[in-house]
Amino acid sequence: MKNAVVTFALGYTRKEVELFLNSCKKIHLHADIILFAGKNHDALKEELQEYPDVILRKYEEPLLQKAVAKLLMKVPALAMLYAKLVRWMYQKVFTGKDRKLLFGMVQPLIHFMGKRFFALSKLMEESKYEKYLFTDIRDVVIQHDPFLACNSNELHAGAEPIYIGDDEHNKRWVDFTFERRIAESLYYKKVICAGVIYGSASSFELYLRRFIDLTFENLPGIINKLGADQAIHAYLFHYDMKGVNCKIHHNNDGKIVTLHHDDPDNFIWLSDQIIHPNGKMIYLVHQYDRHPIMDYWFRESLLGEEKRVSA
C-alpha cells in the first residue's frame, strides 16, 4: 500500500512550492503528493507538469453553509448563537457517522488552518494509504523519507524550543480555545507545531476524530480565529491521544526540526542538508526561511544556480 503526502497550496504559485517538491524528488520519495489548491488549481496544474507524483485536488466548501456563515459573521452575536447550535447538535442530536453531516456547517465558521483537518479527514475516507505526512509546503523541505522511520501505531510531530506560556501567540491561542484550567496547564508544555505531522493511517484516524471533537466542543470561542488548530494539536499531543504512540521530536536530536525559535549555529550544513552536531539525521526541516542563511543553503541546493539567482 502506498503512502501519501498531503499539503495545501491555496493562493500559491510554483515559486512557493517548488523547494518542497524538489526535496521530495531529490530523495526519491515513494509517495503520492496530494496538493490542495483553490482558484489557482488550473494554473498550478500547468506549472507543475514536471512533477508526476503530484495529485492536485480542488479545495471546496459547501456553498449554502458557506453563504450562511458569511452572513452570520457580519453579526457576531448571531454567529455565536449559530456556533452554539451546531455544537449542541453535534453533542446531543447526531451520533456516530451521522455527525459528519455537520462538518459542512462548522467548516465555514473556523479559520482555514483548522479547515485543513476536516479536508484531510474526508480525503482519508476516500483514499486508502498506509501512512500520511500532513505538512505545510512553503517553508518545509524533506531530507529523508519519514515513512521509513514510522511504525504502525505512531504519530510524529516536532516540538519548538519554547514553552507555550512564554510565546505570546501560542499562549493567546490556548487561552481563547480552552477553559482556563486547561489553558494554564499547557503554559508549562512545549509548543508542538501543527505544521508537520506524520504517522500511520490508523493513528491519524484517531487523532482526527479527537481533533474534530475538540473543534466542535470549543467552537463558540474559536470562530474564525487563527491558532485554534495549533492549540488543539498541542493539547492532543501532550494530554489526549490514548491508543496512539505519540513521538515528539525536539530540535536538539529529533527527526523533525522547527526553526523559528532556534539558532542556525545549532546545526551543521553537510552534503546539501542540515544535520545535528552529534551526526544524527534530520528528516524534515520546518521554518528554515526564518533564517536567511538556511534559506540560501536550501535554495542553492534544491533550485540550482540559475533559479536561485532569478528568485
Side-chain angles (χ1 to χ4, degrees):
M1 191 179 295
K2 294 188 73 174
N3 301 316
V5 176
V6 183
T7 186
F8 288 75
L10 279 73
Y12 287 171
T13 65
R14 176 188 173 118
K15 183 178 179 180
E16 284 84 26
V17 304
E18 64 180 341
L19 255 76
F20 177 84
L21 296 178
N22 283 357
S23 73
C24 294
K25 182 187 289 188
K26 182 177 180 178
I27 66 166
H28 305 289
L29 185 68
H30 297 295
D32 288 339
I33 302 172
I34 301 170
L35 198 157
F36 281 89
K39 295 179 181 178
N40 61 333
H41 177 276
D42 293 344
L44 274 180
K45 186 176 181 180
E46 182 68 25
E47 292 176 340
L48 301 180
Q49 290 185 28
E50 69 184 76
Y51 299 98
D53 292 327
V54 171
I55 301 171
L56 276 170
R57 290 177 63 110
K58 193 150 190 183
Y59 175 81
E60 296 177 321
E61 294 177 32
L63 292 178
L64 177 59
Q65 291 93 326
K66 187 175 181 179
V68 169
K70 189 173 182 179
L71 287 173
L72 290 171
M73 293 293 188
K74 297 179 179 180
V75 185
L78 288 179
M80 179 68 72
L81 286 173
Y82 181 70
K84 289 180 178 179
L85 172 63
V86 172
R87 179 179 65 179
W88 175 79
M89 292 171 67
Y90 185 82
Q91 294 177 334
K92 303 295 185 181
V93 179
F94 291 83
T95 59
K97 292 184 178 180
D98 290 342
R99 284 177 161 179
K100 293 175 183 176
L101 298 172
L102 298 173
F103 287 7
M105 297 177 70
V106 74
Q107 283 179 258
L109 289 175
I110 61 177
H111 191 276
F112 177 74
M113 299 303 285
K115 296 177 184 184
R116 299 175 307 152
F117 293 84
F118 286 81
L120 176 59
S121 177
K122 186 173 185 293
L123 172 70
M124 290 184 67
E125 286 186 356
E126 299 170 350
S127 307
K128 298 302 180 183
Y129 292 94
E130 183 178 1
K131 298 173 184 176
Y132 289 83
L133 166 62
F134 186 46
T135 180
D136 293 350
I137 190 168
R138 184 188 56 79
D139 59 354
V140 174
V141 296
I142 300 180
Q143 299 191 136
H144 300 280
D145 187 340
F147 300 120
L148 299 178
C150 176
N151 294 321
S152 59
N153 69 329
E154 292 179 350
L155 200 63
H156 298 248
E160 299 189 46
I162 189 170
Y163 291 101
I164 289 173
D166 292 334
D167 180 82
E168 62 173 323
H169 301 296
N170 280 274
K171 183 177 182 295
R172 183 173 70 253
W173 297 338
V174 299
D175 281 341
F176 68 62
T177 301
F178 297 112
E179 61 181 75
R180 183 174 179 180
R181 175 183 59 83
I182 294 175
E184 290 182 350
S185 73
L186 284 167
Y187 292 170
Y188 306 99
K189 301 291 186 180
K190 288 291 181 68
V191 171
I192 308 293
C193 185
V196 175
I197 316 167
Y198 68 89
S200 66
S202 59
S203 297
F204 256 112
E205 286 168 1
L206 289 171
Y207 169 85
L208 290 170
R209 194 178 306 154
R210 285 298 294 137
F211 188 99
I212 289 168
D213 283 346
L214 288 169
T215 298
F216 276 95
E217 182 179 321
N218 297 284
L219 185 58
I222 64 174
I223 298 172
N224 201 31
K225 288 183 178 179
L226 171 67
D229 65 303
Q230 179 73 25
I232 292 172
H233 174 71
Y235 174 80
L236 288 173
F237 260 79
H238 282 306
Y239 290 137
D240 192 18
M241 281 303 296
K242 295 177 182 178
V244 175
N245 184 6
C246 288
K247 299 284 189 179
I248 298 175
H249 296 264
H250 297 272
N251 280 10
N252 62 333
D253 67 352
K255 293 181 175 65
I256 304 171
V257 293
T258 311
L259 298 175
H260 179 76
H261 294 285
D262 219 322
D263 188 330
D265 290 338
N266 291 332
F267 306 91
I268 296 172
W269 180 257
L270 181 67
S271 301
D272 288 340
Q273 61 179 276
I274 65 167
I275 63 172
H276 292 292
N278 61 8
K280 282 189 175 182
M281 295 189 303
I282 297 170
Y283 286 59
L284 292 137
V285 183
H286 187 201
Q287 299 175 351
Y288 64 86
D289 63 337
R290 274 55 163 188
H291 307 286
I293 185 61
M294 283 195 173
D295 188 62
Y296 173 86
W297 287 342
F298 282 117
R299 288 187 176 278
E300 183 177 47
S301 171
L302 296 171
L303 294 184
E305 182 67 24
E306 181 180 347
K307 289 187 178 179
R308 177 169 56 82
V309 172
S310 65

